[in-house]
């Protein structure tokens, strides 16, 4: 019987890293005891995730077979805990956003990101296996001195997602929407480039699709940036651009079902799960070719050059709104891409990697 525990910096509802840890935990519990610990735990996660302070104190002999750290940001308490534990350590690397995006809005948070890269690099001497969701993430780890890195793509349970019922309140709210719906899903954060997306939407409604709506779904975890982009939208008089904030899973799938095009302007992604969610609902995608986005998209969408202007994005969205044949081609490619990722994930399982370390 194996005892494998996971450690996160923070755990919250709807958070991609928390969700990934919960999926891994479900499989680990088939093998033995497995808990998730975090330095910061959202009240909604109490009962599913334990405080890091509850982890058994270190002894001369290890108290678990393996500790799995989900790395995405710096945190000195978590780093000290991991560095000093006697157990073997595995890292699941979700990538660390370049701190420069955050300096104008939250210098303390930017410092945590900068520290995160130092901490991940320092942990390399302790890590027995590292897992990355993309080759982009794996290359980043290798640049920090990691040698044993396995790429295991994330997967979306498409059947489960399609079975989620609509949210009645969201259905009612969208019933009055009378034009094309452009959707983005992701937290309101500087590297997601909501400002660039709003500029593209402004071009879209000014020159091409005057009745289009833009829904930006996701929590705002950085208030100064949220205020900045909302002010920008107001200055552009974008009366059909909406920030939804955090929403339920039922509301999320309702937006996916109603949307006509999914657009992301993000400039930094370690994988980008919403791309797979959009494919699940046959939603055509427009994305910018930054970081892991081209790798995850795999040709199942319109990929813009990083130097393309917002006007190019507007033209791509308009083309998808009006071309049913192209929409169908991209929907077919999306289903094929999901099948490929599912097959890759079935051949390379995170839990199998972790168990192999223990057995060796």
């Amino acid at each position: 019987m194996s005892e494998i525990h996971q450690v996160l910096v923070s755990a919250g509802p709807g958070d991609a890293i928390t969700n990934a840890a919960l999926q891994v935990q479900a499989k680990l519990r088939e093998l033995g005891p497995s808990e998730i610990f975090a330095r910061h735990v959202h009240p909604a996660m109490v009962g599913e995730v334990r405080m890091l302070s509850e982890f058994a104190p270190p002894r001369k002999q290890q108290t678990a077979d393996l500790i799995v750290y989900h790395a995405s940001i710096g945190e000195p308490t978590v780093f000290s805990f991991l560095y000093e534990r006697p157990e073997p350590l595995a890292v699941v690397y979700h990538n660390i956003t370049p701190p420069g995006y955050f300096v104008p809005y939250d210098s303390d948070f930017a410092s945590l990101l900068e520290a995160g890269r130092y901490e991940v690099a320092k942990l390399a001497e302790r890590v027995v296996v590292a897992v990355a969701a993309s080759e982009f993430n794996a290359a980043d780890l290798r640049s920090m001195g990691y040698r044993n890195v396995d790429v295991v793509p994330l997967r979306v349970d498409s059947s489960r997602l399609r079975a989620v019922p609509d949210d009645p309140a969201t259905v009612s709210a969208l019933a009055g929407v009378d034009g094309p719906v452009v959707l983005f899903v992701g937290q309101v954060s500087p590297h997601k480039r909501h400002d660039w997306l709003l500029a593209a939407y402004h071009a879209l409604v000014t020159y091409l699709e005057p009745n289009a709506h833009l829904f930006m779904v996701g929590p705002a975890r950085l208030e100064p940036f949220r205020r900045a982009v909302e002010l920008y939208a107001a200055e552009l008089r974008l009366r059909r651009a909406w920030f939804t904030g955090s929403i339920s899973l039922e509301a999320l799938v309702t937006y996916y079902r109603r949307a006509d095009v999914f657009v992301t302007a993000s400039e930094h992604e370690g994988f980008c799960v919403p791309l797979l969610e959009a494919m699940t609902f046959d939603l055509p995608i427009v994305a910018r070719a930054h970081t892991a986005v081209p790798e995850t998209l795999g040709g199942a969408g319109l990929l813009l050059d990083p130097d393309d202007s917002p006007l190019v994005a507007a033209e791509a969205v308009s083309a998808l709104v009006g071309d049913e044949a192209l929409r169908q081609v991209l929907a077919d490619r999306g289903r094929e891409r999901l099948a490929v990722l599912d097959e890759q994930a079935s051949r390379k399982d995170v839990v199998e990697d972790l168990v192999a370390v223990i057995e060796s």
Side-chain angles (χ1 to χ4, degrees):
M1 181 177 290
S2 301
E3 184 170 341
I4 304 176
H5 301 308
Q6 299 178 84
V7 171
L8 288 66
V9 169
S10 62
D15 173 65
I17 296 174
T18 304
N19 289 343
L22 289 168
Q23 290 174 8
V24 171
Q25 183 190 49
K27 293 185 177 182
L28 289 176
R29 283 185 166 175
E30 297 175 3
L31 307 173
S34 180
E35 300 290 343
I36 300 174
F37 297 87
R39 176 74 170 86
H40 306 284
V41 180
H42 189 280
M45 301 305 298
V46 173
E48 292 187 271
V49 179
R50 299 171 62 180
M51 294 296 297
L52 186 63
S53 58
E54 298 178 44
F55 206 109
R59 301 193 296 264
K60 290 184 178 179
Q61 292 185 343
Q62 63 193 53
T63 59
D65 294 296
L66 185 70
I67 293 177
V68 182
Y69 174 46
H70 291 260
S72 64
I73 192 172
E75 217 294 333
T77 301
V78 174
F79 171 71
S80 297
F81 169 87
L82 296 169
Y83 198 73
E84 295 168 3
R85 296 294 304 192
E87 294 87 355
L89 179 64
V91 163
V92 177
Y93 185 56
H94 299 273
N95 213 286
I96 296 174
T97 305
Y101 284 105
F102 295 86
V103 169
Y105 306 101
D106 189 335
S107 58
D108 290 340
F109 188 76
S111 296
L112 286 176
L113 291 169
E114 186 172 2
R117 291 194 65 83
Y118 165 81
E119 291 171 6
V120 171
K122 184 66 175 176
L123 287 173
E125 62 193 59
R126 283 262 294 113
V127 171
V128 292
V129 65
V131 179
S134 63
E135 184 55 44
F136 173 78
N137 285 358
D140 200 19
L141 280 178
R142 294 183 190 111
S143 74
M144 290 186 277
Y146 284 74
R147 294 293 176 264
N148 184 17
V149 183
D150 199 7
V151 177
V152 181
L154 298 177
R155 66 192 305 179
V156 167
D157 188 338
S158 299
S159 297
R160 185 188 69 85
L161 201 57
R162 292 191 195 100
V164 174
D166 284 329
D167 173 61
T170 306
V171 170
S172 177
L174 291 175
V177 173
D178 57 357
V181 170
V182 180
L183 178 67
F184 167 74
V185 176
Q187 62 179 305
V188 182
S189 191
H191 64 291
K192 303 291 187 180
R193 292 304 307 271
H194 289 71
D195 53 318
W196 197 98
L197 179 57
L198 287 167
Y201 173 67
H202 180 257
L204 179 70
V205 296
T206 301
Y207 303 113
L208 300 166
E209 303 287 343
N211 295 322
H213 295 251
L214 172 63
F215 290 93
M216 292 163 284
V217 175
R221 295 194 171 97
L222 198 64
E223 280 301 305
F225 181 71
R226 180 193 63 79
R227 291 193 296 268
V229 292
E230 288 187 349
L231 178 61
Y232 184 49
E235 290 173 345
L236 294 177
R237 299 182 179 180
L238 300 176
R239 297 182 178 87
R240 295 188 176 194
W242 311 92
F243 293 89
T244 70
S246 297
I247 62 173
S248 67
L249 178 61
E250 290 78 10
L252 176 63
V253 300
T254 304
Y255 277 108
Y256 275 123
R257 290 181 178 125
R258 174 59 184 89
D260 295 285
V261 182
F262 181 90
V263 182
T264 175
S266 181
E267 292 182 351
H268 189 87
E269 297 288 344
F271 186 79
C272 197
V273 168
L275 293 177
L276 307 191
E277 295 173 344
M279 294 176 198
T280 295
F281 292 97
D282 292 339
L283 197 54
I285 296 168
V286 177
R288 301 172 72 197
H290 286 283
T291 56
V293 170
E295 181 182 348
T296 301
L297 193 59
L302 299 184
L303 193 62
L304 307 180
D305 188 89
D307 295 326
D308 282 341
S309 72
L311 180 58
V312 176
E315 292 171 339
V317 170
S318 182
L320 287 173
V321 167
D323 191 335
E324 186 58 37
L326 179 57
R327 294 172 61 84
Q328 188 58 53
V329 166
L330 294 182
D332 292 342
R333 289 181 183 175
R335 286 191 290 270
E336 292 170 1
R337 181 60 179 154
L338 288 174
V340 168
L341 290 171
D342 281 347
E343 194 274 334
Q344 290 177 351
S346 66
R347 285 190 291 107
K348 289 187 172 184
D349 186 270
V350 173
V351 175
E352 289 178 0
D353 278 354
L354 302 179
V355 172
V357 168
I358 296 173
E359 293 176 346
S360 64

